[in-house]
Amino acid sequence: MFELLKAGGILMVPIVACSILALAIILERFWTLRVSRVAPPQSTNELWRWIKKKELNGRKLKALQASSPLGRILAGGLMNAKHGREIMKESIEHEASQVIHDLERFLNPLGTVATITPLLGLLGTVIGMIKVFAEIQLAGVGNAGNLAGGISEALITTAAGLSVAIPALICHRYFIRRVDELVVGMEQEAIKLVEVVHGDREIDVEGA
């Protein structure tokens, strides 16, 4: 592997660095964007039970807020529910914007890796071909070993760049979709909470 990287030339260094960064982000996002962590059903079920039995208090609100990103959004709305529907909605939207920002953390760097690694590979290809033509100009086409070195460098960097970019792009699209799904689910729970608190909807007995 080291010989392969060495044969790819100096541009293999940033490509390898991008691959390490992409792998770290992918593993971290897989761990962070779990439904059980972002919007655990047990937290909302417990909240409905508290509301139904009129057991909701400041201590339980703090526990809800610390339990998950969804709990943070719902607690933000409940803390301002007494000020009316619109203020409650604004509080929910304010907390939701911060939660969504956290859910999308590191996705831009992952997308950047997916974009620049093929370009780094292409740059390596260009540099390798420049070396090939420079060798032809100096020694003609008789020295096949030197020509093969430049061609090899060109092909290795291209393959390495694509090998990093393809999984990074797939995971980037997947995480964006995952965040969208989580946001839709949290939005539905927030709307339900507003309607329940202001008497427009009965608490689901099964959920409670």
Side-chain angles (χ1 to χ4, degrees):
M1 180 61 71
F2 177 75
E3 291 300 324
L4 188 64
L5 296 177
K6 184 178 178 181
I10 189 64
L11 283 174
M12 289 299 292
V13 174
I15 291 175
V16 170
C18 285
S19 70
I20 295 172
L21 176 62
L23 180 61
I25 293 173
I26 289 169
L27 293 177
E28 190 275 339
R29 288 292 91 185
F30 267 121
W31 176 259
T32 300
L33 297 179
R34 293 170 295 142
V35 175
S36 61
R37 180 190 176 277
V38 177
Q42 61 270 22
S43 294
T44 52
N45 290 339
E46 191 171 34
L47 173 60
W48 303 132
R49 285 196 295 270
W50 290 341
I51 294 176
K52 188 176 181 66
K53 297 177 181 179
K54 298 184 177 357
E55 296 177 349
L56 197 59
N57 53 41
R59 180 179 59 81
K60 290 181 177 179
L61 267 181
K62 289 182 179 180
L64 176 66
Q65 188 177 35
S67 65
S68 65
L70 175 59
R72 177 180 166 188
I73 293 172
L74 299 181
L78 287 169
M79 288 177 180
N80 293 279
K82 62 183 179 181
H83 299 298
R85 180 190 294 267
E86 292 305 316
I87 298 299
M88 184 178 182
K89 284 184 176 180
E90 289 177 6
S91 300
I92 288 174
E93 290 172 359
H94 175 71
E95 290 293 338
S97 65
Q98 296 183 25
V99 167
I100 293 171
H101 181 268
D102 291 340
L103 294 180
E104 293 177 341
R105 183 180 297 169
F106 303 132
L107 293 189
N108 279 340
L110 184 61
T112 301
V113 168
T115 302
I116 67 172
T117 45
L119 298 178
L120 290 171
L122 179 60
L123 180 58
T125 299
V126 172
I127 292 174
M129 296 310 297
I130 289 173
K131 290 181 179 179
V132 169
F133 286 114
E135 185 63 31
I136 291 175
Q137 186 177 12
L138 291 174
V141 295
N143 193 339
N146 290 339
L147 296 181
I151 296 173
S152 174
E153 180 177 337
L155 296 178
I156 289 172
T157 54
T158 301
L162 292 175
S163 298
V164 174
I166 291 172
L169 180 60
I170 292 172
C171 289
H172 181 258
R173 296 290 178 86
Y174 170 77
F175 289 137
I176 288 177
R177 178 64 178 170
R178 171 71 70 87
V179 170
D180 289 341
E181 291 174 351
L182 291 170
V183 169
V184 169
M186 291 190 292
E187 184 180 84
Q188 292 174 346
E189 291 294 336
I191 292 172
K192 180 180 177 181
L193 178 66
V194 172
E195 293 175 347
V196 166
V197 168
H198 291 280
D200 298 330
R201 179 173 179 170
E202 294 293 330
I203 298 177
D204 184 2
V205 176
E206 294 182 0

